[in-house]
Amino acid sequence: MESFTLDTGATAWILVSAALVLLMTPGLSLFYGGMVRARTVLNMMLMSFGAMAVVAIAWVLGGYSIAFGSDIGGLFGNPLEFLGLSGTDEQSILAGSGVPFLVAAGFQMTFAIISTALISGAIADRVKFGTWMVFALVWVLVVYAPLAHMVWGGGLLGADGIFASIAEPVDFAGGTVVHINAGMAGLVLAIVVGARKGFGKEPMKPHNLPLVMLGAALLWFGWFGFNAGSAGTPDGTAGLAWVNTTVATAGAMLGWALIEKIRDRHVTSLGMASGVVAGLVAITPAAAALNPVTSIVLGLVAGIACALAVGLKYRFGIDDSLDVVGVHLVGGLVGTVLIGVLASDGGLIFGGGVSLLLVQILVAASALVFSGVLTLVIALALKYTMGWRISEADEAAGIDITHHAESGYDLGSSLITRRDRIAPAPAAPAAPTGSAPTPSTTEDPQPATAGDAR
């Protein structure tokens, strides 16, 4: 084992990048929170914050070891090797960049957190919070961490894995580990849990589009830590990833807007915000493999594909509430597979042949099967033990009030409190007989009525 030499610049870069990626999960809570109805906004946001809590602890107590410990059969790492994050700096996965063990492990923790939180959008408005918390804990240990090991930790789907003899697979920052994984898990949960009451029959429009736009902006901002940070050090690769992340996202917004204009005759804020996420998802695995021009092409394709895909849930009757499947699964597949076409080194259009394209398809398919099967086992186990669904009455009344005893917009109480503070006007003196009544100078306020924010 070589001696470790600290690089303060690279360490600072990864610390900042980790903070940016961690910010993505509160950003996701705003994005998802604005997309649901007003009576479920707090529960939706709590699912993201809950994932932050359980995944962070799980990562310290075994998740990191499963992902990056010594290889066991190409499927997962030794779960006891780094128990409690007890590794040395020489064992850091970014030791070559001079980044200490704990800093690199913390950076990867933020990836596990956002990946788990992404799934919650597929089952909005209708699941028990306790069941979700248990699912998040089990899923990150049983599904996320092993897949991270297979792709990044020296396992079956990595540079020395089962497909390496064809071509070296490319997943720079998580097309398979994060987006295909979370998107497939969302699809499985949406099927197992079942549709919301009134799905396909009642309007379920976003209640706060400015909140959605703010969340999308925070996700875009945090994604620079996600992609540029994955370079491991602030160098030219990080710069390429930063630029590609920006222009691919811009292309996806335009692609989504084009579909909306052709199909619906108008461009929407929800569509543009969704285009932001679609572009970010697609460029994640390809951020260092493409050039800026091909990144724009990838973004356009992803924006168009995801905009078309989100409507399929109505055709198939699968209530993927906030389009986790349509954006993350489809966007992750587009980004992962098109590396084989657009990559500057080995891409089909640059004379690399079909080898890389074939490997990218095989890796994507492997991630789909792995995530789908294991998530199904976990989901069914929880369905028949803890149960997933809240009651229909609680769902109709709103999960915020019935399960969390609070409301995101308590407008009625605030108006009533304000009225109670207004002193009553003094009684006017009796007017002499035959004279006109004396007008009151203070109007008695009318009873306040809170509007239904739904």
Side-chain angles (χ1 to χ4, degrees), residues 13 228 231 233-244:
W13 172 252
T233 191
D235 58 7
T237 301
L240 176 65
W242 196 101
V243 172
N244 287 349

mmCIF file of all heavy atoms in Angstrom, residues 13 228 231 233-244:
data_model
loop_
_atom_site.group_PDB
_atom_site.id
_atom_site.type_symbol
_atom_site.label_atom_id
_atom_site.label_comp_id
_atom_site.label_asym_id
_atom_site.label_seq_id
_atom_site.Cartn_x
_atom_site.Cartn_y
_atom_site.Cartn_z
ATOM 1 N N TRP A 13 -12.138 20.662 -2.909
ATOM 2 C CA TRP A 13 -13.043 20.478 -4.041
ATOM 3 C C TRP A 13 -14.100 19.420 -3.729
ATOM 4 O O TRP A 13 -15.294 19.615 -3.974
ATOM 5 C CB TRP A 13 -12.225 20.086 -5.265
ATOM 6 C CG TRP A 13 -13.011 19.669 -6.476
ATOM 7 C CD1 TRP A 13 -13.140 18.422 -6.982
ATOM 8 C CD2 TRP A 13 -13.756 20.529 -7.346
ATOM 9 N NE1 TRP A 13 -13.924 18.430 -8.109
ATOM 10 C CE2 TRP A 13 -14.310 19.716 -8.360
ATOM 11 C CE3 TRP A 13 -14.005 21.895 -7.375
ATOM 12 C CZ2 TRP A 13 -15.107 20.228 -9.384
ATOM 13 C CZ3 TRP A 13 -14.801 22.414 -8.393
ATOM 14 C CH2 TRP A 13 -15.333 21.584 -9.385
ATOM 15 N N ALA A 228 -19.246 17.361 -11.856
ATOM 16 C CA ALA A 228 -17.876 17.887 -11.852
ATOM 17 C C ALA A 228 -17.096 17.339 -10.663
ATOM 18 O O ALA A 228 -15.890 17.071 -10.764
ATOM 19 C CB ALA A 228 -17.901 19.410 -11.825
ATOM 20 N N ALA A 231 -15.001 14.017 -10.867
ATOM 21 C CA ALA A 231 -13.649 13.977 -11.430
ATOM 22 C C ALA A 231 -12.614 13.693 -10.340
ATOM 23 O O ALA A 231 -11.502 13.252 -10.642
ATOM 24 C CB ALA A 231 -13.326 15.289 -12.133
ATOM 25 N N THR A 233 -10.917 15.713 -8.561
ATOM 26 C CA THR A 233 -9.988 16.829 -8.357
ATOM 27 C C THR A 233 -10.381 17.945 -9.322
ATOM 28 O O THR A 233 -10.977 17.673 -10.379
ATOM 29 C CB THR A 233 -8.530 16.370 -8.609
ATOM 30 O OG1 THR A 233 -7.624 17.379 -8.166
ATOM 31 C CG2 THR A 233 -8.279 16.046 -10.068
ATOM 32 N N PRO A 234 -10.093 19.200 -9.005
ATOM 33 C CA PRO A 234 -10.483 20.309 -9.891
ATOM 34 C C PRO A 234 -9.545 20.455 -11.079
ATOM 35 O O PRO A 234 -8.638 21.293 -11.090
ATOM 36 C CB PRO A 234 -10.428 21.531 -8.971
ATOM 37 C CG PRO A 234 -9.409 21.175 -7.943
ATOM 38 C CD PRO A 234 -9.532 19.693 -7.736
ATOM 39 N N ASP A 235 -9.771 19.622 -12.105
ATOM 40 C CA ASP A 235 -8.897 19.623 -13.270
ATOM 41 C C ASP A 235 -9.704 19.793 -14.552
ATOM 42 O O ASP A 235 -10.882 20.179 -14.512
ATOM 43 C CB ASP A 235 -8.078 18.330 -13.310
ATOM 44 C CG ASP A 235 -8.950 17.086 -13.351
ATOM 45 O OD1 ASP A 235 -10.189 17.212 -13.488
ATOM 46 O OD2 ASP A 235 -8.400 15.971 -13.245
ATOM 47 N N GLY A 236 -9.091 19.506 -15.680
ATOM 48 C CA GLY A 236 -9.775 19.662 -16.957
ATOM 49 C C GLY A 236 -10.975 18.755 -17.108
ATOM 50 O O GLY A 236 -11.967 19.124 -17.747
ATOM 51 N N THR A 237 -10.912 17.554 -16.536
ATOM 52 C CA THR A 237 -12.062 16.649 -16.596
ATOM 53 C C THR A 237 -13.249 17.233 -15.851
ATOM 54 O O THR A 237 -14.392 17.154 -16.315
ATOM 55 C CB THR A 237 -11.692 15.277 -16.001
ATOM 56 O OG1 THR A 237 -10.598 14.718 -16.736
ATOM 57 C CG2 THR A 237 -12.870 14.325 -16.060
ATOM 58 N N ALA A 238 -12.971 17.834 -14.693
ATOM 59 C CA ALA A 238 -14.042 18.493 -13.939
ATOM 60 C C ALA A 238 -14.644 19.644 -14.746
ATOM 61 O O ALA A 238 -15.866 19.841 -14.764
ATOM 62 C CB ALA A 238 -13.507 19.000 -12.604
ATOM 63 N N GLY A 239 -13.787 20.404 -15.424
ATOM 64 C CA GLY A 239 -14.278 21.501 -16.256
ATOM 65 C C GLY A 239 -15.137 21.010 -17.401
ATOM 66 O O GLY A 239 -16.182 21.605 -17.714
ATOM 67 N N LEU A 240 -14.710 19.914 -18.041
ATOM 68 C CA LEU A 240 -15.504 19.334 -19.126
ATOM 69 C C LEU A 240 -16.859 18.869 -18.604
ATOM 70 O O LEU A 240 -17.894 19.120 -19.237
ATOM 71 C CB LEU A 240 -14.743 18.161 -19.744
ATOM 72 C CG LEU A 240 -15.485 17.376 -20.832
ATOM 73 C CD1 LEU A 240 -15.734 18.252 -22.051
ATOM 74 C CD2 LEU A 240 -14.692 16.118 -21.221
ATOM 75 N N ALA A 241 -16.855 18.202 -17.454
ATOM 76 C CA ALA A 241 -18.111 17.732 -16.877
ATOM 77 C C ALA A 241 -19.035 18.900 -16.533
ATOM 78 O O ALA A 241 -20.253 18.818 -16.724
ATOM 79 C CB ALA A 241 -17.825 16.894 -15.631
ATOM 80 N N TRP A 242 -18.457 19.988 -16.024
ATOM 81 C CA TRP A 242 -19.254 21.177 -15.678
ATOM 82 C C TRP A 242 -19.928 21.760 -16.934
ATOM 83 O O TRP A 242 -21.140 22.027 -16.937
ATOM 84 C CB TRP A 242 -18.344 22.226 -15.034
ATOM 85 C CG TRP A 242 -19.059 23.321 -14.303
ATOM 86 C CD1 TRP A 242 -19.231 23.433 -12.956
ATOM 87 C CD2 TRP A 242 -19.695 24.481 -14.885
ATOM 88 N NE1 TRP A 242 -19.942 24.580 -12.668
ATOM 89 C CE2 TRP A 242 -20.236 25.236 -13.828
ATOM 90 C CE3 TRP A 242 -19.867 24.936 -16.189
ATOM 91 C CZ2 TRP A 242 -20.931 26.432 -14.032
ATOM 92 C CZ3 TRP A 242 -20.571 26.124 -16.402
ATOM 93 C CH2 TRP A 242 -21.082 26.859 -15.328
ATOM 94 N N VAL A 243 -19.154 21.960 -17.980
ATOM 95 C CA VAL A 243 -19.708 22.529 -19.210
ATOM 96 C C VAL A 243 -20.746 21.596 -19.821
ATOM 97 O O VAL A 243 -21.843 22.027 -20.222
ATOM 98 C CB VAL A 243 -18.581 22.826 -20.222
ATOM 99 C CG1 VAL A 243 -19.165 23.223 -21.575
ATOM 100 C CG2 VAL A 243 -17.667 23.929 -19.689
ATOM 101 N N ASN A 244 -20.436 20.314 -19.899
ATOM 102 C CA ASN A 244 -21.373 19.357 -20.486
ATOM 103 C C ASN A 244 -22.674 19.281 -19.691
ATOM 104 O O ASN A 244 -23.757 19.130 -20.265
ATOM 105 C CB ASN A 244 -20.730 17.969 -20.565
ATOM 106 C CG ASN A 244 -19.679 17.881 -21.647
ATOM 107 O OD1 ASN A 244 -19.551 18.773 -22.485
ATOM 108 N ND2 ASN A 244 -18.904 16.805 -21.631
#
